[in-house]
Amino acid sequence: MKICVIGTGYVGLVAGTCFAESGNDVICVDIDETKITALQKGSVPIYEPGLEELIRRNLAERRLWFTDDLVSAVRASEICFIAVGTPETSNGAADLGGVIKVAEEIGSAMNGYRVVVCKSTVPVGTADKVGEAIRAKTDHDFDVVSNPEFLKEGAAVEDFMKPDRVVIGASSPRAIDLMQTLYEPFVRTENPILIMDNRSAEMTKYAANAFLATRISFINEIANLCERVGADVADVRRGMGSDRRIGHHFLFPGVGYGGSCFPKDVQAIIRTAHENGLGFPLLNAVEEVNERQKHLLVEKVVGRFGEDLRGYRFAIWGLAFKPRTDDMREAPSIVIIEELLRRGARIEAHDPVSLNEARKRFADRITYHRLNYDALEDADALLIVTDWNEFRRPDFGRMRQLMKTPIVFDGRNLYEHDVMREQGFAYYPIGRVAVEAR
Ligand SMILES: NC(=O)c1ccc[n+]([C@@H]2O[C@H](COP(=O)([O-])OP(=O)(O)OC[C@H]3O[C@@H](n4cnc5c(N)ncnc54)[C@H](O)[C@@H]3O)[C@@H](O)[C@H]2O)c1
């Protein structure tokens, strides 16, 4: 099939590349010329495991192209995906400016029937608006399909290649048929292609993200209560999750959720509820808990070192909002670092892949370390903010030698109490009893 994907970010780039990998001809379009020039040479602007190799192979085998020429891309394609960003506006709603602009451009460019697929996360009713925007620019036939994306950054290629399900919101049999043909190679392991109307498809994406965010805030509340009553959230989580009605996924307490999706999507669904005369008190609470949780680690630091942190040096391991990505959008690390800086602390930061992203935000206000142990030199404490695998089994002896004082504030519960006690660390996890220094 001949496809174009407009918007070459985390979603568009992965979707376009994976469609090419399954044998389609794919043109990826972006307005960012620097990004397009880099991609044409096989240089990938984001970190996503496995992606670069796929891009290079499909470029070399001439199934994948990158361009800033939307008109030619639309004319060469039967299916046009819209995958531009839908950031949060000041009132919490999703900003549809980019999506509608692209819809108009597709309308102006098309020279025959097209399926226009909205892959961006968009509020209920957007497919109708996309349809109106296209109709205003063309007399050609078209169908609008809502096909929300459920990939996880850090495992995006794997998720796209083997999705739990594919949701297709459409009413036209012709469009449904094309979409089923396109997605069949990805669902060979019995996972379903779910056909529904556009509005239900749009709602499904928000409902899924809002529910996942709710699980995180729920376990964070349980964790905070565990700390107060002397229970261990790691055991509680296992005990709860073993119930098949609950399950183990997305029940890890930590420093709050971040990223480009959960915060804005929770806001957007609350906004949709308000616009339709409903409140959404449950999600207001989810948000509130999450905001509070981002401050928890610094509260623990203040509990140990006092309000004034001038003269203290803190190592931070992990800056990305989650492991295996360089994405720092809405990352809890930003709140944590800003708060420590405000209190006068010095920050020695390490992340396996997001130091460049961090430099864009913090410039010379913090120090950057390519190697995790280098960040520990003379540190008064270590804060673990992202659960990268490489932090799970560190050399505790080496850490102790490098640090001024062996203290770890663990925002991801990576270590066991008895190990930390044996190793002579003061250890402050989330939702578990702390180990005080001997
Ligand atoms: N990132 C995720 O994990 C994820 C997962 C599922 C769904 N989504 C949704 O997918 C959408 C895209 O997210 P993302 O993270 O890929 O965004 P992103 O910001 O990484 O990428 C968006 C891209 O669109 C380009 N763009 C903007 N306007 C354009 C235009 N007029 N023409 C061509 N290109 C244009 C930008 O230059 C950028 O490269 C959002 O609605 C998001 O909510 C994201």
Side-chain angles (χ1 to χ4, degrees):
M1 294 175 111
K2 299 198 181 309
I3 297 165
C4 68
V5 180
I6 301 160
T8 310
Y10 284 86
V11 167
L13 185 56
V14 171
T17 306
C18 293
F19 285 137
E21 177 69 10
S22 64
N24 301 289
D25 287 337
V26 182
I27 309 175
C28 290
V29 183
D30 207 286
I31 40 170
D32 183 338
E33 284 174 31
T34 324
K35 200 181 241 187
I36 290 298
T37 311
L39 283 164
Q40 284 167 339
K41 293 179 194 141
S43 159
V44 183
I46 55 170
Y47 176 81
E48 193 56 57
L51 184 60
E52 186 162 305
E53 188 195 328
L54 284 191
I55 289 179
R56 293 203 170 156
R57 181 165 65 238
N58 284 283
L59 269 175
E61 292 173 9
R62 304 183 69 77
R63 285 189 297 267
L64 181 62
W65 290 268
F66 295 100
T67 181
D68 59 0
D69 179 0
L70 179 141
V71 175
S72 306
V74 169
R75 294 205 172 146
S77 308
E78 347 168 36
I79 306 180
C80 303
F81 280 84
I82 304 177
V84 299
T86 47
E88 190 180 326
T89 58
S90 54
N91 69 5
D95 182 350
L96 292 180
V99 170
I100 299 300
K101 183 165 173 287
V102 169
E104 287 169 349
E105 287 173 5
I106 294 173
S108 302
M110 58 197 255
N111 53 356
Y113 175 76
R114 293 290 178 280
V115 173
V116 179
V117 185
C118 201
K119 191 156 250 331
S120 302
T121 302
V122 290
V124 176
T126 302
D128 296 341
K129 292 183 184 158
V130 165
E132 285 159 23
I134 299 171
R135 177 53 66 223
K137 300 284 179 187
T138 186
D139 290 329
H140 290 293
D141 270 355
F142 64 89
D143 285 304
V144 179
V145 171
S146 306
N147 170 222
E149 181 49 56
F150 297 96
L151 62 77
K152 301 183 289 295
E153 283 178 28
V157 171
E158 203 186 319
D159 285 350
F160 198 92
M161 289 302 215
K162 294 181 194 148
D164 290 341
R165 76 318 208 172
V166 173
V167 169
I168 292 173
S171 49
S172 133
R174 185 178 181 183
I176 292 171
D177 194 44
L178 275 169
M179 293 299 286
Q180 274 180 318
T181 308
L182 177 65
Y183 273 109
E184 256 152 28
F186 299 94
V187 289
R188 294 170 72 187
T189 45
E190 307 294 314
N191 291 352
I193 296 181
L194 303 170
I195 310 288
M196 54 185 82
D197 61 66
N198 291 81
R199 284 175 180 253
S200 306
E202 290 166 335
M203 186 55 134
T204 300
K205 173 65 190 175
Y206 282 104
N209 271 3
F211 186 71
L212 292 172
T214 303
R215 281 179 74 105
I216 295 176
S217 279
F218 181 84
I219 198 68
N220 280 336
E221 287 274 73
I222 293 290
N224 297 339
L225 191 53
C226 280
E227 261 180 55
R228 293 292 167 95
V229 299
D232 186 331
V233 74
D235 290 331
V236 174
R237 187 184 66 74
R238 272 195 291 272
M240 274 175 75
S242 304
D243 185 326
R244 266 178 294 173
R245 293 168 302 177
I246 298 174
H248 292 288
H249 294 293
F250 264 80
L251 272 186
F252 293 90
V255 288
Y257 59 76
S260 68
C261 292
F262 286 5
K264 87 169 165 60
D265 293 350
V266 169
Q267 276 298 331
I269 190 171
I270 292 174
R271 185 76 208 160
T272 302
H274 280 295
E275 282 167 4
N276 288 279
L278 289 174
F280 211 143
L282 178 63
L283 289 181
N284 287 332
V286 166
E287 269 268 289
E288 190 188 322
V289 169
N290 195 57
E291 279 313 302
R292 203 188 56 205
Q293 201 71 14
K294 290 189 208 165
H295 293 272
L296 190 70
L297 220 51
V298 177
E299 278 167 28
K300 288 174 189 278
V301 171
V302 167
R304 169 88 200 207
F305 290 94
E307 299 276 349
D308 183 357
L309 298 177
R310 279 175 296 182
Y312 290 112
R313 182 193 286 248
F314 296 110
I316 308 271
W317 280 5
L319 300 167
F321 84 94
K322 66 172 179 176
R324 294 176 293 283
T325 179
D326 59 349
D327 198 345
M328 280 187 66
R329 290 180 282 185
E330 302 279 330
S333 66
I334 299 170
V335 174
I336 291 168
I337 292 174
E338 289 293 356
E339 184 60 16
L340 292 172
L341 288 173
R342 193 182 68 74
R343 292 173 180 276
R346 193 176 155 160
I347 304 295
E348 308 287 330
H350 162 76
D351 188 281
V353 299
S354 49
L355 292 185
N356 285 343
E357 284 302 308
R359 277 196 187 90
K360 290 182 205 159
R361 282 166 199 277
F362 296 111
D364 57 3
R365 293 192 295 144
I366 67 174
T367 309
Y368 306 90
H369 297 276
R370 215 171 47 77
L371 302 174
N372 57 341
Y373 291 108
D374 291 353
L376 295 178
E377 212 170 315
D378 224 16
D380 291 284
L382 163 66
L383 280 71
I384 296 178
V385 181
T386 315
D387 45 344
W388 282 91
N389 263 340
E390 41 269 71
F391 303 157
R392 287 181 191 274
R393 292 286 175 270
D395 179 343
F396 289 114
R398 188 169 167 200
M399 288 169 69
R400 228 179 18 245
Q401 270 174 5
L402 287 164
M403 294 174 75
K404 191 159 146 199
T405 40
I407 302 176
V408 176
F409 296 91
D410 185 354
R412 300 293 178 176
N413 288 354
L414 298 188
Y415 310 131
E416 289 306 322
H417 285 98
D418 39 358
V419 175
M420 296 311 271
R421 193 173 291 115
E422 256 168 46
Q423 293 286 343
F425 280 83
Y427 180 58
Y428 300 87
I430 307 269
R432 315 181 76 183
V433 176
V435 175
E436 301 289 347
R438 275 173 288 184

